[in-house]
Amino acid sequence: MDEVEVLVAHSERATLRVGEVFLKVDADQARIDAEVEAMSLAPVPTPEILWRRPPVLALAALPGTALGRLGGPSTGSPAAWAAAGAALRELHDAPPPAREGRAGRSGAALAAELDDECELLVASGLLPADLVTRNRRAAEAALRPWTAAFTHGDLQVAHVFVDGDEVTGVIDWSEAGRGDALYDLATLTLGHEEHLDDVLAGYGTGVDLDVVRAWWSLRSLLTVRWLVEHGFDPFAPGCEVDVLRSRT
């Protein structure tokens, strides 16, 4: 009998693996609805939906392995990273869904959230004030007008699967929707700055690198406290706090 492997588990949702089946348990049915819709619309490979019985969504395993993981070395070749960039360009060029995604928050909303979060990070003693201030200043470049694209919204490197130099699928679409394309590029390369050029080789032109780097700061500032509160370690080598420390 296959063992049950817990991949992710916190108060909002859990993902389990049983053999070649992934079981996503989420009490927020709107989030699952958004994920199913996004996978049906996305022009890139996605997992096959085996069945759905709320609050569980069953997905078939993808061939290949994850491109890498935050805080660890990339298992993908430069060509694989370029293929991920090309897949991302295909997604961003597709007609965007009607739903606003995680990458679609307005500059005003983000600025307010960021100010609140920075204050809490310092007040709680999680991060030193100078580190927070430096990255809050760097994040400012991401708060600008953008053209809505079809965005994944949580394109962590572990969510892209490759077999050799080919992308076999992209997982975890619950945050997908209309949004800023550069948010996806920044999320994919977070903690893997050395592969940004590889990704851009596949993605193409029209990328403001200052904005990508600003999103590295912004995304990290907004997630550190949540990660700590949900049992994750943003202080691990190569993870969010190291990303913040690397910003000048």
Side-chain angles (χ1 to χ4, degrees), residues 123-135:
S124 66
L126 271 176
L127 295 177
D130 61 334
L131 180 65
V132 171
T133 299
R134 186 167 71 247
N135 279 275

Side-chain angles (χ1 to χ4, degrees), residues 118-167:
C118 288
E119 183 177 341
L120 288 168
L121 286 168
V122 175
S124 66
L126 271 176
L127 295 177
D130 61 334
L131 180 65
V132 171
T133 299
R134 186 167 71 247
N135 279 275
R136 173 62 181 87
R137 190 179 305 116
E140 195 71 30
L143 306 177
R144 86 285 175 224
W146 40 264
T147 300
F150 190 156
T151 55
H152 180 279
D154 191 22
L155 197 67
Q156 302 174 43
V157 63
H159 291 167
V160 179
F161 278 69
V162 296
D163 187 0
D165 298 336
E166 177 184 356
V167 174

